[in-house]
Amino acid sequence: MEPLFFQVKLEELAETFPELASLQPESLVYEKALKAAEEDLRQASERGHTILSPLDPAYPRLLAATEDRPALLYVAGDPARFSAKAIAVIGTREPSEHGIETARRITQYFGNAGWQIVSGLALGLDSVAHKEALNHDGSTVAVMAHGLDAVYPKSNAALADSIVKKGGLLVSEYGYGTPAFSGQFVERDKIQAALSKAVVMVQSDRGGGSLHASRAALRYGRFLIVPVATRADITSGYEKARGNIALTTGSVTEKLSILKCQESDLERLIVLRSKNDYEAIEAGLLT
């Protein structure tokens, strides 16, 4: 079915998307944009994908509630499977053994409780989250920083296939043929946060990419959950746990510096100290 975005007149679209107001029919820019849209529709049809806009009922509700929601969302898998009961589980590409185990336990708990697990298909903790969700027959969504005609990293191509085959979703705001550029990973991270009620930053250093989604979560009025670093990681001085140490034991000034947020936002920063906290945290997310 053709997305509603492509059925509405240009002048009506401009009321919802002001950035389209400058497009004039029969102009070179308009014709180029139209050809690109038609090519995306062709590829989506061939691949069994869906292209959604905020005008479509299937557009994820949590994402639609954000001011900077993507005008188009490319989806591999059944869009009806997007859940408003979703939590992002993310972290460093170079986790410690303790970080991996923490990610597994968190994913298993929330997955078994019916939460959709959102992550970014990156190496490291993202992959752990997706795999753990699938291992327990849970639902998982992978947000990509490029067109859905490719998988980055290539080593996760089989994992991407498994996600869709087992009822999960691959999503991107980028059209087919769009390669992965560094800045797009920041936008990818924002979508992970926007699709979720909370972001769990399992393990990160003080300047890791996981902080993009963490900051976005607070900016969107969502929750940020940060597990305390294990004694072993603290003792060893493991660099990829320094962000956790700062956000769970640091001063308010230190937290504000890392998260680049308002002090009032720190009320939605939740410290996860042990598995005994899971139930209370989940109850808070559901209220």
Side-chain angles (χ1 to χ4, degrees):
M1 179 183 294
E2 188 178 63
L4 289 176
F5 187 91
F6 296 104
Q7 300 176 28
V8 180
K9 293 181 179 179
L10 181 59
E11 57 269 23
E12 295 174 355
L13 277 176
E15 295 178 4
T16 303
F17 306 101
E19 62 269 28
L20 299 180
S22 61
L23 285 177
Q24 297 297 321
E26 299 182 4
S27 68
L28 183 60
V29 173
Y30 178 83
E31 292 301 323
K32 184 177 180 180
L34 187 61
K35 287 181 179 179
E38 290 173 343
E39 174 60 18
D40 274 351
L41 282 173
R42 183 190 67 78
Q43 290 212 41
S45 177
E46 289 183 354
R47 298 173 185 274
H49 294 174
T50 305
I51 304 176
L52 300 173
S53 83
L55 300 174
D56 291 289
Y59 195 92
R61 181 163 60 84
L62 289 174
L63 181 59
T66 61
E67 293 183 355
D68 54 354
R69 62 197 181 190
L72 293 177
L73 193 67
Y74 298 76
V75 182
D78 183 358
R81 293 183 178 272
F82 279 116
S83 175
K85 187 179 177 182
I87 188 167
V89 181
I90 61 171
T92 177
R93 290 172 172 80
E94 303 172 42
S96 67
E97 291 183 9
H98 304 94
I100 292 172
E101 185 59 28
T102 298
R104 284 175 175 161
R105 290 179 179 179
I106 291 171
T107 300
Q108 183 175 343
Y109 175 84
F110 282 96
N112 288 342
W115 288 78
Q116 188 168 67
I117 305 300
V118 178
S119 202
L121 203 70
L123 298 177
L125 293 179
D126 286 21
S127 295
V128 171
H130 290 305
K131 291 175 181 177
E132 194 67 17
L134 295 178
N135 288 343
H136 293 273
D137 297 320
S139 175
T140 188
V141 176
V143 186
M144 321 285 269
H146 49 77
L148 292 186
D149 53 326
V151 173
Y152 179 86
K154 290 183 178 179
S155 57
N156 269 348
L159 176 57
D161 286 341
S162 294
I163 288 173
V164 176
K165 288 178 180 177
K166 293 187 177 182
L169 301 155
L170 308 179
V171 303
S172 175
E173 65 175 307
Y174 301 105
Y176 300 102
T178 304
F181 293 112
S182 58
Q184 291 167 195
F185 286 94
V186 177
E187 298 303 312
R188 182 274 310 268
D189 292 347
K190 287 165 55 180
I191 292 179
Q192 290 179 73
L195 284 169
S196 310
K197 284 183 175 290
V199 167
V200 183
M201 192 194 79
V202 177
Q203 193 173 52
S204 174
D205 60 23
R206 293 174 63 97
S210 300
L211 289 172
H212 295 302
S214 302
R215 294 166 185 150
L218 296 178
R219 188 167 64 252
Y220 293 142
R222 316 285 167 82
F223 292 91
L224 172 60
I225 302 169
V226 182
V228 297
T230 63
R231 185 178 292 106
D233 283 341
I234 294 173
T235 301
S236 67
Y238 189 63
E239 182 179 354
K240 299 301 181 180
R242 290 179 181 175
N244 296 66
I245 295 171
L247 293 178
T248 57
T249 66
S251 66
V252 169
T253 300
E254 190 173 17
K255 294 173 184 176
L256 294 177
S257 175
I258 293 172
L259 294 173
K260 305 184 186 305
C261 64
Q262 301 297 316
E263 187 169 346
S264 59
D265 292 331
L266 295 181
E267 296 176 3
R268 285 176 279 106
L269 170 60
I270 301 173
V271 176
L272 174 59
R273 302 190 182 281
S274 76
K275 62 181 180 181
N276 296 327
D277 294 337
Y278 291 163
E279 188 173 337
I281 289 174
E282 183 190 13
L285 298 182
L286 293 173
T287 56

